[in-house]
Amino acid sequence: MKNIKTQLFSLLFVSIAFVSCSDSDSSELDTQKPTIAIQSPTDHQEVEPGSNLNIKALLQDETALTSYKVEIHSAGDGHEHRTAALDNSIPFTYENVFQIEGNPKSHQIDYSILIPENAKEDHYHLGVFCIDAAGNQSQQFVEIFIGHEHNH
Amino acid sequence: MMRISILIICLIHSVIVFSQNTLKGKVVDANGMPLNKCHIDWNAYCATTNSDGTFELQNIPSGSFNLRVKLDGFQTQDVFVNVPETTFVEVVLFTEDEMLDELVISTNQPKTYNGISVKSNQIKDNFAGSLAKSLENVAGVTAMEIGSGVSKPMIRGLGFTRIAVTENGIKQEGQQWGADHGLEIDALQAEEVEVIKGVGAIAYGSDAIGGVIRINNEKIPQENTTSGNVIFHGKTVNDALGASVNFQHRNENWFFKAKFSGVDYADFKVPTSEVNYLNTKIPIYNNRMKNTAGDEYSVYLQGGYVSDSFQSILSVSNLKSKIGFFAGAHGIPSVGAVADDGNYRDVGFPYQTVNHFKVTSSNKWKKPHSEWNAIFSFQQNHRQEWSLFHSHYSNQTAPSVNPNLELDFVLNTLDSQVNYSFETGLNHETTFGFQQNYQQNNVSGYSYLLPEYNRNNLAFYANHQWFVSSKTTLDFGARLDYIDMKTQGYFDSILYDYLVSNGKTETVAKENAQRSSDVHKTYLQTNFAFGLSYVMHPKWKWNFNVGTNFRAPTAMELSANGIHHGAFRHEKGNPNLKVERGVSSEIGLTFENGNFKSTLSPYVYYFSNYIFLKPTGTFSVLPHGGQVYEYSQSKALITGFEYALQQKWNSFTLNATFEYLYNKQLDNPKGNYPLPFSTPINLSAELSYAFKDSKITKQSKVYINTKWASAQNRIAQNEEKTPGYTIFGAGLQSEINIGKLKPVVRLQGNNLLNTKYYNHASFYRAIEIPELGRNVQLMIQIPF
């Protein structure tokens, strides 16, 4: 019986050797996603149509940042807040992709966009997406309101 | 020359005939009842048992050899005889239901592949809602969960179209639709399941790379019997209530089976109070995932004619289900949609309905040493996704008919298979086969995901088994496949106008609005396989096989372009993909000594062009797009092993399985990342205690079990790491003797500590939805 057990363990050992490969490669792989800290706008911030929205965010990655995208879209998912149904307002959308030159480890976003006069008063999501050199992606969202947020 | 050889053969034969012997025998079942019409043979000598179970072989030569005893519905057995010393043999045949470890003699030729048989009772013992989940106890099998009651099986981290699921020989279709589509098979109605890991390409063709889950629902009832059972089951994790009835009858030649199942369940419970989708914290009220309730109904009818030389079975089945999608995770993250409305059983938007209809006719003509098989089947997969009309494009209006029908797929599949197998002596068996599979996929709905396509696959294969000795079996196979795939292009003019109005260039708008393109591809493939099994010692058995395998690119992989809401990302097909090809090899080593049994199966797969979704690092211009994931090909290696052991001490039994999987891409310029959805190292163990039978209870046992999985830190690009976990379960079961009724009661608890953990293979992992919380489940089965 003892002999059999020895054989068994040696076989187990051999098969582990058969399948085990060097795992050293994994440690060099970049699996860390970039981080995004949105400083402006803040969550639930109100923005007047016709005014400038200041977008500020800090992007960081332990290897290299390559590009980011800023997106604003309606969050009106049946959560109705319509004030004037018969006006000429249209749902506002914004989207822009930027390449980050020189692949730095950290990048500060700081720019303004103009919210059109006729932007529909509604809840919106503002999202910042960021990709690093390895293709790892992260995103961060804040909810904003164009116009005045009405109580339920 | 020819004449001389014939002469020699005749001479040898006449020499043999000189030493004439007669061997008599009797074949009985486990209860000692004689079995009629059993086929007994050795080389050219054969006999059939009479109604009293007896047979007689005349004019057989002296010597020692194995007689093979076969009867449909029973396990084939080889019996060793030594003529003329042996003049009478009594053979006991066990039905396919009876457990192998109860067999005293088991001299069956071992298989050259790693097949694990799961009997219907074992599925009921491990019943966990879906078939894939119920098979998780098989070493190497995991279930990729995509919501309540929906899961897909994976073998060694290979899933979707990389494994084949067959029922009565016909491949279950519908998996091509993508990840969020489960398997439409009622676990409680499966009579017998075999999990074949690794080499399966010769008999099953494209898709059988990781393995095959073979379901057999064509078990023929014994003559002049009527039987059936009723099952009631319920569980606490989603307040499921279900019932299943089956009934079967056979007179001499005709039989009939009817099975009905139904289950209705509420929103499932998770040990978390919020999930995270696109960085929106979505609250989970009362630990219930809102709108994950659903129901499933199925009906299965089968009739057949059985005789010694011919059998024909017609099966018709229909499975229908309606399953809610967690509203917070469909389309735009929505806090409002997950609010508790006091009703856990209602299904609101968004939800999916699935209807799977299948007719199969399987026919067999048998002669003592040859057999024709012909199977014809039609199946229709119809899936709809319903969601209150919504659009990411401001210019899209709701359609006038079915305004809330988001996606609608109808996949029709016709299969025909013919094969002929014949034995040359007792030692050689050859099979020639032809298969055709024709598919047509139609789509509609206000959203667009998957292209319409027509696919035709023709295949020829041959397989030869050589039973070299009672210890050694060799297996050779070759297969030729021709696949013709045509996908239909689709231009989304709404999206085009939207993109142009948002200031995109015409080129960019066109590129993205072309949701799929006309692709016409033909693939010609040859594959080979070799298998060997060897009984080294009565206690040691091993098998080895090596073979090539392949998988034709799917319609999604060739031509998809757009956001896949089930997978939460922009996926882009590539019409230039080549057929995925690989070589795989594995060893199965079994050691069995009295109360100890252990099986070790190391394996290795090498792919010259593994197809998978790779992040491109380029942003999608579509709203909510994130980066584009493109189907690309890479050399890849998958290796690992499974180890299963069983030890019995008196009334105690320990069963344990251990899995180790390692995989990686081999030529990714950004680094050789692991492949997505890799199963982490895991161990499961169950200790059971069997009680002695009493007047009231029979076959009673209690058990405790545990499953441990390590953290998965070896991840593909842009995948999430998954922490490790340990969960515990316990259960008891017993057959209770109350008068004529003999109900079998199974009570089990899973994740008893209500541990919050994540399955690395779960799609919902991406939005931080953990696995199910504590679940207590009761099943009562009443046979009649």
Side-chain angles (χ1 to χ4, degrees):
Chain A
M1 190 65 197
K2 199 179 176 189
N3 186 27
I4 282 160
K5 277 194 176 152
T6 320
Q7 274 192 46
L8 201 75
F9 280 112
S10 56
L11 264 158
L12 187 66
F13 182 77
V14 168
S15 64
I16 291 168
F18 176 71
V19 297
S20 292
C21 296
S22 152
D23 220 345
S24 58
D25 51 7
S26 299
S27 54
E28 299 150 22
L29 297 173
D30 175 10
T31 54
Q32 202 83 283
K33 297 184 179 196
T35 59
I36 302 166
I38 302 180
Q39 297 137 344
S40 168
T42 52
D43 215 8
H44 296 288
Q45 186 175 319
E46 292 178 6
V47 197
E48 281 301 315
S51 71
N52 276 318
L53 174 66
N54 190 20
I55 299 168
K56 264 183 153 177
L58 179 66
L59 312 178
Q60 283 179 304
D61 186 65
E62 89 296 356
T63 52
L65 295 162
T66 53
S67 59
Y68 69 94
K69 170 175 165 177
V70 177
E71 182 185 303
I72 302 172
H73 58 252
S74 166
D77 52 352
H79 205 86
E80 298 296 319
H81 287 268
R82 289 198 182 102
T83 44
L86 297 170
D87 64 8
N88 294 322
S89 70
I90 52 161
F92 172 65
T93 58
Y94 170 82
E95 187 215 289
N96 216 339
V97 172
F98 305 85
Q99 299 303 316
I100 304 172
E101 297 304 322
N103 296 351
K105 290 189 176 182
S106 131
H107 180 81
Q108 177 72 46
I109 304 174
D110 190 356
Y111 73 103
S112 293
I113 56 167
L114 180 69
I115 307 291
E117 285 284 358
N118 64 345
K120 194 172 104 179
E121 294 203 6
D122 202 351
H123 275 273
Y124 288 83
H125 282 137
L126 181 142
V128 178
F129 297 71
C130 180
I131 307 178
D132 72 8
N136 295 309
Q137 178 197 319
S138 54
Q139 56 270 324
Q140 207 48 250
F141 281 82
V142 289
E143 194 169 303
I144 56 171
F145 198 87
I146 294 181
H148 293 289
E149 185 160 11
H150 303 276
N151 290 327
H152 288 256
Chain B
M1 189 63 201
M2 186 72 179
R3 277 190 189 173
I4 294 167
S5 19
I6 291 172
L7 192 72
I8 291 169
I9 289 170
C10 288
L11 272 170
I12 292 169
H13 239 98
S14 56
V15 171
I16 293 167
V17 171
F18 268 104
S19 49
Q20 286 178 359
N21 298 294
T22 299
L23 177 72
K24 289 183 182 176
K26 188 175 182 182
V27 186
V28 294
D29 69 8
N31 301 320
M33 297 300 286
L35 292 171
N36 188 12
K37 293 172 183 169
C38 297
H39 189 72
I40 289 112
D41 69 350
W42 170 67
N43 267 349
Y45 306 93
C46 61
T48 307
T49 56
N50 300 322
S51 55
D52 60 354
T54 59
F55 68 89
E56 192 173 308
L57 280 171
Q58 289 173 342
N59 297 335
I60 52 170
S62 300
S64 41
F65 46 82
N66 279 315
L67 277 186
R68 183 157 298 164
V69 184
K70 284 192 214 170
L71 181 66
D72 276 339
F74 289 84
Q75 297 170 18
T76 299
Q77 261 207 59
D78 283 1
V79 181
F80 183 76
V81 290
N82 193 356
V83 177
E85 280 82 66
T86 318
T87 53
F88 187 87
V89 283
E90 180 162 317
V91 185
V92 183
L93 286 192
F94 294 87
T95 61
E96 287 169 345
D97 273 339
E98 281 158 320
M99 301 286 285
L100 263 174
D101 54 335
E102 286 168 10
L103 271 180
V104 188
I105 349 156
S106 152
T107 47
N108 227 345
Q109 283 283 1
K111 292 164 187 160
T112 56
Y113 58 82
N114 273 345
I116 295 168
S117 258
V118 186
K119 308 294 178 199
S120 70
N121 274 342
Q122 287 167 276
I123 295 171
K124 290 182 187 94
D125 289 352
N126 298 320
F127 181 65
S130 67
L131 182 70
K133 213 59 196 134
S134 308
L135 290 176
E136 274 209 305
N137 282 34
V138 176
V141 179
T142 41
M144 173 185 266
E145 283 184 79
I146 30 201
S148 181
V150 183
S151 55
K152 276 168 132 56
M154 289 183 95
I155 298 177
R156 295 168 176 165
L158 297 169
F160 310 113
T161 51
R162 281 192 192 89
I163 64 167
V165 179
T166 67
E167 188 190 8
N168 305 334
I170 296 293
K171 220 183 275 175
Q172 186 84 0
E173 303 289 352
Q175 310 219 46
Q176 300 88 338
W177 287 336
D180 50 352
H181 188 81
L183 201 59
E184 304 89 359
I185 288 192
D186 179 359
L188 287 177
Q189 290 180 357
E191 294 171 9
E192 190 176 50
V193 179
E194 187 179 27
V195 178
I196 303 172
K197 295 183 278 187
V199 184
I202 296 304
Y204 304 95
S206 175
D207 299 3
I209 291 178
V212 182
I213 295 180
R214 213 173 59 87
I215 298 156
N216 175 21
N217 278 331
E218 287 186 341
K219 290 186 68 178
I220 296 163
Q222 292 185 42
E223 268 179 51
N224 299 314
T225 57
T226 302
S227 65
N229 67 55
V230 185
I231 297 171
F232 299 101
H233 58 98
K235 58 179 170 183
T236 57
V237 78
N238 60 358
D239 303 335
L241 285 172
S244 180
V245 185
N246 73 65
F247 171 83
Q248 57 183 37
H249 171 76
R250 177 176 167 189
N251 57 25
E252 198 181 333
N253 293 118
W254 294 91
F255 76 92
F256 175 77
K257 280 185 210 167
K259 307 177 192 179
F260 307 93
S261 281
V263 62
D264 186 282
Y265 51 86
D267 297 339
F268 66 84
K269 292 175 197 161
V270 284
T272 190
S273 55
E274 62 178 23
V275 299
N276 187 349
Y277 179 46
L278 292 179
N279 295 92
T280 303
K281 295 272 183 224
I282 299 172
I284 302 299
Y285 298 101
N286 302 325
N287 298 69
R288 295 268 198 170
M289 296 293 297
K290 185 66 200 149
N291 204 42
T292 54
D295 58 41
E296 181 179 300
Y297 298 95
S298 75
V299 50
Y300 199 109
L301 300 172
Q302 188 176 78
Y305 174 84
V306 188
S307 74
D308 290 350
S309 55
F310 175 72
Q311 82 180 37
S312 179
I313 300 173
L314 182 74
S315 312
V316 182
S317 64
N318 196 71
L319 184 143
K320 183 174 176 284
S321 73
K322 178 177 176 178
I323 305 165
F325 286 121
F326 176 57
H330 195 92
I332 301 168
S334 163
V335 175
V338 297
D340 181 10
D341 60 0
N343 187 348
Y344 298 125
R345 294 199 99 84
D346 60 338
V347 178
F349 290 118
Y351 65 88
Q352 66 168 330
T353 59
V354 175
N355 195 80
H356 185 256
F357 170 78
K358 182 153 69 179
V359 192
T360 308
S361 162
S362 68
N363 308 282
K364 208 180 257 186
W365 290 267
K366 289 182 285 188
K367 284 185 176 169
H369 297 283
S370 65
E371 190 175 295
W372 279 96
N373 270 290
I375 312 177
F376 306 98
S377 167
F378 167 74
Q379 58 182 307
Q380 184 183 70
N381 267 283
H382 184 192
R383 174 168 176 227
Q384 294 182 322
E385 266 186 40
W386 294 83
S387 183
L388 209 55
F389 176 78
H390 66 281
S391 169
H392 296 297
Y393 321 125
S394 44
N395 55 331
Q396 185 173 3
T397 53
S400 52
V401 184
N402 283 336
N404 300 320
L405 179 58
E406 188 174 8
L407 292 167
D408 188 342
F409 306 128
V410 181
L411 177 68
N412 291 313
T413 308
L414 274 171
D415 273 288
S416 32
Q417 298 185 8
V418 178
N419 68 55
Y420 174 66
S421 61
F422 59 94
E423 291 167 21
T424 330
L426 189 63
N427 300 332
H428 294 271
E429 191 178 320
T430 310
T431 306
F432 289 105
F434 164 78
Q435 291 175 349
Q436 186 190 17
N437 171 288
Y438 176 76
Q439 292 191 316
Q440 189 186 47
N441 187 56
N442 297 310
V443 301
S444 55
Y446 68 80
S447 217
Y448 183 86
L449 175 65
L450 175 70
E452 300 203 322
Y453 64 85
N454 291 289
R455 182 180 183 272
N456 196 5
N457 185 357
L458 296 172
F460 294 94
Y461 67 92
N463 195 61
H464 183 79
Q465 267 190 305
W466 177 20
F467 306 103
V468 183
S469 71
S470 59
K471 287 179 175 175
T472 311
T473 308
L474 290 175
D475 207 321
F476 311 90
R479 181 181 172 105
L480 179 73
D481 274 87
Y482 173 79
I483 296 170
D484 182 292
M485 175 72 152
K486 253 186 217 160
T487 66
Q488 184 96 48
Y490 174 75
F491 187 82
D492 188 343
S493 52
I494 296 167
L495 176 57
Y496 176 82
D497 293 342
Y498 171 84
L499 292 172
V500 168
S501 72
N502 275 280
K504 296 285 177 296
T505 64
E506 224 168 90
T507 326
V508 170
K510 264 188 188 157
E511 217 174 86
N512 284 279
Q514 192 70 46
R515 299 296 307 274
S516 59
S517 43
D518 287 319
V519 177
H520 185 192
K521 290 270 172 186
T522 55
Y523 309 103
L524 190 67
Q525 281 298 307
T526 44
N527 282 282
F528 301 95
F530 168 75
L532 160 70
S533 81
Y534 180 61
V535 182
M536 213 155 41
H537 180 270
K539 292 171 183 169
W540 289 95
K541 273 181 217 164
W542 61 271
N543 59 44
F544 164 78
N545 55 53
V546 57
T548 60
N549 46 42
F550 80 107
R551 186 177 68 89
T554 62
M556 278 298 267
E557 290 168 338
L558 288 170
S559 91
N561 182 21
I563 304 265
H564 185 181
H565 285 289
F568 321 110
R569 61 193 171 195
H570 184 159
E571 299 181 352
K572 200 167 190 309
N574 178 355
N576 299 319
L577 292 176
K578 294 194 169 63
V579 169
E580 183 172 282
R581 281 197 66 88
V583 184
S584 66
S585 172
E586 67 177 278
I587 299 170
L589 180 80
T590 305
F591 172 76
E592 212 171 342
N593 186 17
N595 290 326
F596 178 76
K597 184 182 178 181
S598 101
T599 308
L600 178 71
S601 15
Y603 57 86
V604 56
Y605 295 72
Y606 170 79
F607 291 94
S608 53
N609 49 0
Y610 187 83
I611 301 174
F612 67 104
L613 272 171
K614 201 160 44 175
T616 56
T618 308
F619 280 111
S620 163
V621 300
L622 304 174
H624 290 285
Q627 64 178 318
V628 178
Y629 279 72
E630 193 175 19
Y631 282 102
S632 46
Q633 293 188 302
S634 159
K635 289 194 176 100
L637 174 81
I638 302 176
T639 180
F641 67 91
E642 287 120 27
Y643 179 71
L645 85 84
Q646 186 181 68
Q647 169 78 59
K648 287 181 186 170
W649 307 269
N650 303 320
S651 302
F652 286 97
T653 306
L654 174 72
N655 272 299
T657 56
F658 179 81
E659 288 171 45
Y660 170 78
L661 171 81
Y662 177 92
N663 62 25
K664 66 175 180 179
Q665 304 167 33
L666 296 178
D667 57 359
N668 185 343
K670 291 199 169 150
N672 289 332
Y673 284 84
L675 298 169
F677 297 117
S678 300
T679 314
I681 296 173
N682 67 84
L683 172 77
S684 53
E686 181 169 294
L687 181 69
S688 66
Y689 176 81
F691 293 96
K692 288 206 169 68
D693 290 352
S694 74
K695 264 188 186 168
I696 309 168
T697 58
K698 249 179 89 182
Q699 293 189 336
S700 311
K701 66 168 186 177
V702 288
Y703 58 88
I704 47 168
N705 56 37
T706 182
K707 174 151 187 166
W708 168 85
S710 74
Q712 185 52 289
N713 296 321
R714 296 192 70 252
I715 50 172
Q717 270 162 289
N718 206 30
E719 235 190 354
E720 312 284 339
K721 289 183 179 172
T722 306
Y725 62 87
T726 312
I727 50 169
F728 298 94
L732 62 93
Q733 66 185 63
S734 179
E735 187 184 310
I736 298 169
N737 223 330
I738 330 172
K740 278 186 181 172
L741 287 181
K742 289 183 176 57
V744 180
V745 178
R746 296 176 174 93
L747 179 70
Q748 57 166 297
N750 306 102
N751 192 8
L752 287 173
L753 302 182
N754 207 26
T755 307
K756 179 176 172 180
Y757 70 102
Y758 297 96
N759 178 350
H760 191 69
S762 167
F763 254 92
Y764 280 163
R765 168 84 184 92
I767 54 173
E768 292 181 16
I769 298 180
E771 295 302 295
L772 301 184
R774 180 184 300 119
N775 181 29
V776 178
Q777 177 174 317
L778 177 70
M779 182 189 284
I780 300 171
Q781 181 185 5
I782 308 166
F784 56 81

